[in-house]
Amino acid sequence: QNPPANPLLKSLVRDRAESYVLQEKMFSFSGEDFRVRDIHGDEVISVQGGNVNLGGWVIDKLGFKDSRGEKFCSVERRMVALSTCYDVYNAKGDSCVAKIERVLLSAAPKYNFFYEGDMNPFPDFTAEGSFSQRKYTFKNGFGETIARVSRGEEMVRDVDQYQVEVAAGVDAAAILAVAVVIDEDHDEMDSEKREEMERNSKQE
């Protein structure tokens, strides 16, 4: 895998395969805060989630910081889209550098990642697998597996934890950003299913 020209976080593009743990923070006001640790237990990325109200529209916004606490990108849910779509902005927030989008018409669920956002018609990599079980793989445009994500054992109830394996030369921050979006997206789906089941049970 050749390293991308403009990775989200250059320091996490390694010349060897790496493993990370992506974990929801236990004490979070937004419920959308995460931290990423490497195999040594060092925190390499922190994610702070929140909601932004824009003229009555409430959108999800996730801020990504490196190990020094410096913001390197933000991931914001697009207000108007046919399917789940998040735009990735640079540290200043004045330029869209990538896009994460759930494929609307597909035999199997997929999420695509595009560097340069809407300017790029072809996904740089795709996540596919069993999202309900939180176990899936990432493949590049050549069909090569570049990363794997699997759900780890919950140390605390309702606090998700994932094992993320990333191949050499891959933008690990981009992989982790997609993993966070998938977690958020499917948490919403699970919540909607529970609410629907509760409504149906009350009607019975």
Side-chain angles (χ1 to χ4, degrees), residues 108-184:
K110 294 181 181 179
Y111 289 80
N112 287 335
F113 181 94
F114 304 79
Y115 287 109
E116 301 180 4
D118 289 336
M119 299 295 291
N120 182 3
F122 305 107
D124 291 277
F125 58 79
T126 298
E128 53 187 7
S130 178
F131 296 113
S132 61
Q133 299 298 318
R134 308 297 198 273
K135 187 175 183 179
Y136 49 94
T137 60
F138 289 84
K139 294 184 178 181
N140 61 18
F142 300 102
E144 301 169 329
T145 299
I146 59 171
R148 291 186 176 88
V149 175
S150 58
R151 189 178 224 162
E153 183 178 351
E154 290 185 1
M155 303 300 291
V156 180
R157 182 179 172 83
D158 294 330
V159 176
D160 289 329
Q161 179 171 289
Y162 302 93
Q163 186 72 31
V164 184
E165 300 174 10
V166 183
V170 174
D171 184 359
I175 296 292
L176 290 158
V178 177
V180 169
V181 166
I182 290 173
D183 177 85
E184 294 294 293

Side-chain angles (χ1 to χ4, degrees), residues 2 9 24 34 69 71 102 106 113 120-121 123 129 188 190 203:
N2 294 322
L9 185 58
E24 284 184 317
F34 297 81
K71 184 178 179 180
R102 177 156 53 93
S106 175
F113 181 94
N120 182 3
E188 288 181 12
D190 292 344
Q203 290 174 356

Side-chain angles (χ1 to χ4, degrees), residues 60 77 84 102 134 183-201:
D60 294 332
R77 186 163 194 164
T84 300
R102 177 156 53 93
R134 308 297 198 273
D183 177 85
E184 294 294 293
D185 198 24
H186 283 268
D187 277 354
E188 288 181 12
M189 291 182 186
D190 292 344
S191 178
E192 290 173 358
K193 287 179 181 177
R194 284 195 297 268
E195 290 176 0
E196 184 177 356
M197 290 175 63
E198 289 175 1
R199 287 195 299 269
N200 291 337
S201 63

